Amino acid sequence: MGQQEKVATSLAGAVSEEISASLAPVDAELERRYPGDPGTRQPVHTVYVPGDAFTADTLRSWGDQALALLDEHAPDAASFAAVLGLPGELAEAVHSRVRAKLEREPVEDLRVDFEDGYGPRPDAEEDETAARAARLIAEAHANGTAAPYMGIRVKCMEAAVRDRGIRTLDVFLTGLMAAGGLPDGLVLTLPKVTYPEQVGAFVRLLEAFEKAHGLDAGRLGFEIQIETSQAILATDGTATVARMIQAAEGRATGLHYGTFDYSACLGVSAAYQAGDHPAADHAKAVMQVAAAGTGVRVSDGSTNVLPVGPTAKVHDAWRLHYGLTRRALARAYYQGWDMHPGHLPTRYAAVFAFYREGFEQAAARLARYAERAGGDVMDEPATAKALSGYLLRGLDCGALDLPEVTGLTGLTRTGLEGFASPRRGDLTASGQ
């Protein structure tokens, strides 16, 4: 064992106590502002459906339309892989999982749209549409056909449409309460936010609804859409989006990038408005840094190139959407918008390929870390967190199965959650 070292110190214990006391406010601030990821499932996409187009069979209809497009334009694994450039070893696994996903759970997150996708309508018409949306969502939860996440996007807090947006939200939430209460997975989206004060006003609105119905404080959260340049950089040079997260007082659940409104705000020509434009990359990088560690998640925008028409056009649109989705995933944007049923095959193909192609390497690295077995990469706790988070996302969306993950890592889902974050590790498996 060798000679035992003599340990000596020079500082009195009071020094450490004084330093800890001086940093206590900072410790509390860090805990409040940076609580970490909430540890819940994040959907891989959000589907937007205009309020008047939303029906009881919308979810199933989107899945059926997506399957029909696959049958017509890429009927087997080889043809689908050829369109997207999938490696041969992934072709069958990705294709079969895409079809199974479209049959079982075609939409992970649906937003009934009362903003751009719906437009201005007579008040009585919008009232009725909002009430119908509440009834249909409540019925979907009651009969087991709901998507994991569902909700609405209301009009923004700008003066011209503010009262209408407030009323639509009130009608919708009141309808849900009358139908049995607010369902799990309820998501609200506030668009075209420019000033943090608009976020604060939305918080006051939600507080008023909670008090009116005796709900727990903070029960209602919401997403903030980043669609204006002012939402990224204020005139005083501050990052507005960071101030918006603060203004939400813990209720912000996500930041969603609005591809076309943001691009137009900067004067980008219509032909060049896309998720991979440098202006989009800058905005999304600022969003990402502002949200990091806060528990607020980020979401990419959409493409307006639809996979419709002859096979050649469908294939071109699929390749574009697949490439943009893969690009976003590599940049840690794990969620995006889908605007058409034809986007579902390539959304899931990109997501499944992303997780399956890196699965074995990630699982092996995490297993070595868990066993302290070393290997050719020196991983740290932060890397183990990223590796386990990667595997958990793959499990949540259906790209991976728990037996195969456990087989290579030796870890149960609870074990994976423990590496992903202490908060997530405290959660039960809950069947996800």
Side-chain angles (χ1 to χ4, degrees):
M1 293 292 291
Q3 183 178 353
Q4 187 172 1
E5 295 291 340
K6 182 180 179 180
V7 177
T9 62
S10 302
L11 300 176
V15 174
S16 178
E17 293 173 2
E18 290 172 5
I19 289 175
S20 292
S22 70
L23 289 177
V26 173
D27 294 339
E29 186 78 348
L30 281 170
E31 180 67 23
R32 184 174 72 86
R33 293 195 184 279
Y34 299 100
D37 189 84
T40 54
R41 175 181 178 180
Q42 180 179 9
V44 302
H45 69 168
T46 302
V47 162
Y48 280 79
V49 177
D52 57 335
F54 176 57
T55 67
D57 67 349
T58 290
L59 298 175
R60 187 62 266 151
S61 174
W62 273 58
D64 290 344
Q65 290 178 68
L67 286 166
L69 278 170
L70 269 180
D71 289 339
E72 181 177 358
H73 301 291
D76 53 46
S79 58
F80 194 46
V83 173
L84 304 180
L86 287 171
E89 63 271 17
L90 286 179
E92 183 58 43
V94 169
H95 182 260
S96 62
R97 286 174 184 270
V98 167
R99 291 196 66 91
K101 181 75 169 181
L102 295 174
E103 292 167 356
R104 182 186 75 255
E105 186 183 76
V107 174
E108 292 196 359
D109 183 25
L110 181 136
R111 208 70 70 250
V112 183
D113 191 14
F114 288 88
E115 204 234 352
D116 284 349
Y118 184 73
R121 306 290 181 98
D123 284 340
E125 181 180 344
E126 184 158 340
D127 282 351
E128 183 177 357
T129 305
R132 183 169 63 91
R135 175 177 59 79
L136 291 175
I137 288 177
E139 290 174 355
H141 279 278
N143 62 29
T145 61
Y149 299 91
M150 300 182 77
I152 67 168
R153 176 170 71 167
V154 296
K155 292 177 172 63
C156 69
M157 296 299 285
E158 293 178 356
V161 294
R162 182 185 305 139
D163 288 346
R164 181 62 261 180
I166 291 172
R167 182 172 174 84
T168 296
L169 181 67
D170 188 8
V171 170
F172 175 73
L173 293 178
T174 301
L176 288 177
M177 293 299 297
L182 303 181
D184 293 335
L186 174 66
V187 189
L188 309 175
T189 304
L190 179 65
K192 293 184 175 59
V193 183
T194 304
Y195 283 85
E197 289 80 2
Q198 293 169 327
V199 172
F202 202 69
V203 169
R204 303 287 87 76
L205 176 60
L206 299 182
E207 286 177 341
F209 188 88
E210 288 167 350
K211 290 178 182 177
H213 288 273
L215 298 172
D216 292 339
R219 168 65 179 83
L220 291 165
F222 62 100
E223 303 164 336
I224 302 169
Q225 282 200 259
I226 306 301
E227 301 177 272
T228 67
S229 61
Q230 297 92 338
I232 295 295
L233 190 68
T235 54
D236 61 1
T238 60
T240 315
V241 63
R243 295 175 56 210
M244 289 177 179
I245 292 174
Q246 295 179 34
E249 300 178 15
R251 293 178 184 265
T253 58
L255 302 174
H256 284 227
Y257 177 67
T259 305
F260 305 103
D261 282 294
Y262 187 87
S263 298
C265 186
L266 268 63
V268 178
S269 298
Y272 298 97
Q273 293 178 0
D276 57 355
H277 190 282
D281 283 341
H282 171 260
K284 287 183 283 188
V286 174
M287 290 165 55
Q288 196 169 41
V289 173
T294 65
V296 178
R297 287 156 167 177
V298 293
S299 173
D300 201 358
S302 61
T303 175
N304 60 1
V305 179
L306 305 183
V308 296
T311 296
K313 284 193 66 177
V314 171
H315 286 181
D316 285 344
W318 272 351
R319 279 188 286 267
L320 174 65
H321 185 246
Y322 178 86
L324 289 172
T325 303
R326 285 301 306 263
R327 185 179 189 273
L329 289 166
R331 286 158 173 75
Y333 266 76
Y334 300 112
Q335 184 176 353
W337 298 11
D338 287 327
M339 308 301 289
H340 186 273
H343 287 144
L344 299 185
T346 39
R347 169 67 62 183
Y348 293 125
V351 170
F352 293 169
F354 177 76
Y355 289 110
R356 293 209 64 81
E357 69 186 14
F359 158 53
E360 291 187 2
Q361 182 184 47
R365 285 178 67 180
L366 185 59
R368 286 195 299 268
Y369 180 88
E371 297 169 358
R372 300 294 191 268
D376 58 355
V377 178
M378 184 65 73
D379 286 327
E380 298 182 353
T383 306
K385 178 179 179 179
L387 291 168
S388 55
Y390 173 88
L391 296 174
L392 285 165
R393 289 181 183 278
L395 288 169
D396 284 343
C397 69
L400 306 175
D401 299 322
L402 186 57
E404 63 180 345
V405 174
T406 299
L408 290 186
T409 63
L411 298 170
T412 64
R413 184 180 177 102
T414 301
L416 292 169
E417 290 169 345
F419 280 113
S421 74
R423 289 182 60 184
R424 190 163 194 162
D426 290 338
L427 299 176
T428 60
S430 68
Q432 291 184 9

